[in-house]
Amino acid sequence: MIEINNLTFRYERRSGDSGERSVLDDVSLTIDDGSFVVLAGPNGSGKTTLVRHFNGLLDSDEGWIAVNGQRVGEDVVAARTAVAMTFQDPRDGFVAATVAEDVAFGPVNLGLEREQIDQRVQEALVAVQMDGFEQKRIDRLSGGEQARVAIAGALAMRPDHLVLDEPFVGLDEPARQSVLERLRALSAEGMSIIVVTHDLRELLDLADRLVVMSEGQIVLDGSPETVLDRLSEREVSVPC
Ligand code: ADP
């Protein structure tokens, strides 16, 4: 479970500028194990800032986050093992020069045997249709291919909670379908999945929950049908 409790965050808070606007304003949210959550909302509403707290990439003094019952700030390693994340710009997350090395990074750090590592890497690359690219240099790949490698790296962790920030940007239709298929299977196996996206196509068939942010707050939260109905009554647009 991921619990977010009264979280408030300002990027410039340590600069002494106390007048800085809160990017997250008293956000509380509980994500149950096995749930499939789509986090939507206009650009700049705070979605990325929120999810970056889930594994300690950002850390606020106001409010707290717990993953599987453990405060993230108290054990960042546990949080990073439990929560795998991809970034809007996949280049932010790469740690190795080649595809196979990068996807293997998480499993290697988990201390797995070579055979298990290779199996996980292969499975993850097949899921994003990047098998055959193992020895390619990441910096020579297209943006869409890099996005798929980043997703493979997260899948290879077999985390309890998978967070994908705008995972479909740059993906062609077959790759998109393959990723959706994998998410469907992982969700059925009980992994919780949180997708930050402005592209809701097909995702809402998979999701059991749609959370909408606006100006640093959660303004709508419920089943996709309920939220979409209520969205039309508010001044929050979810481009899709
Ligand atoms: P979203 O993911 O919904 O597009 P973000 O969390 O990326 O929103 O951004 C929320 C707000 O925080 C925006 O106003 C953005 O300009 C600001 N912001 C994001 N990252 C930084 C940063 N590293 N430093 C300062 N401000 C930032």
Side-chain angles (χ1 to χ4, degrees), residues 189-207:
E189 288 167 17
M191 186 183 289
S192 37
I193 296 173
I194 300 110
V195 182
V196 177
T197 187
H198 66 279
D199 181 359
L200 299 176
R201 282 179 299 147
E202 293 157 279
L203 263 186
L204 295 185
D205 296 338
L206 299 183

Side-chain angles (χ1 to χ4, degrees), residues 94-233:
F94 293 132
V95 291
T98 67
V99 170
E101 272 178 288
D102 193 81
V103 177
F105 181 77
V108 166
N109 276 314
L110 292 175
L112 300 178
E113 303 285 333
R114 191 71 241 174
E115 201 175 314
Q116 288 175 295
I117 295 169
D118 291 344
Q119 192 190 340
R120 285 199 185 193
V121 169
Q122 204 49 35
E123 203 180 279
L125 287 175
V126 167
V128 298
Q129 299 189 325
M130 285 294 285
D131 46 319
F133 284 69
E134 288 79 357
Q135 303 315 320
K136 298 263 194 254
R137 286 186 60 92
I138 292 177
D139 58 10
R140 305 255 166 86
L141 301 177
S142 72
E145 288 167 345
Q146 289 181 344
R148 284 146 68 185
V149 174
I151 294 171
L155 294 176
M157 292 286 290
R158 298 209 186 144
D160 297 333
H161 315 283
L162 176 66
V163 180
L164 304 175
D165 196 348
E166 296 289 0
F168 303 117
V169 174
L171 265 61
D172 60 18
E173 199 47 33
R176 178 190 167 85
Q177 289 304 328
S178 181
V179 170
L180 283 169
E181 190 52 47
R182 190 74 195 128
L183 295 183
R184 188 176 289 119
L186 291 170
S187 177
E189 288 167 17
M191 186 183 289
S192 37
I193 296 173
I194 300 110
V195 182
V196 177
T197 187
H198 66 279
D199 181 359
L200 299 176
R201 282 179 299 147
E202 293 157 279
L203 263 186
L204 295 185
D205 296 338
L206 299 183
D208 44 48
R209 192 166 166 197
L210 173 58
V211 175
V212 180
M213 291 188 70
S214 176
E215 298 183 354
Q217 296 185 321
I218 291 171
V219 291
L220 290 169
D221 181 2
S223 71
E225 306 88 68
T226 321
V227 169
L228 287 177
D229 276 352
R230 291 187 55 204
L231 260 180
S232 54
E233 300 160 16

Side-chain angles (χ1 to χ4, degrees), residues 11-12 20-21 23-24 41-50 88 165 196 213:
Y11 277 101
E12 302 297 335
E20 188 71 20
R21 181 177 73 88
V23 171
L24 296 177
N43 262 341
S45 55
K47 305 182 296 295
T48 295
T49 303
L50 177 63
Q88 268 179 56
D165 196 348
V196 177
M213 291 188 70

Side-chain angles (χ1 to χ4, degrees), residues 76-93:
V76 173
V77 174
R80 288 190 187 163
T81 305
V83 182
M85 192 173 297
T86 65
F87 305 101
Q88 268 179 56
D89 184 343
R91 289 170 300 184
D92 287 349

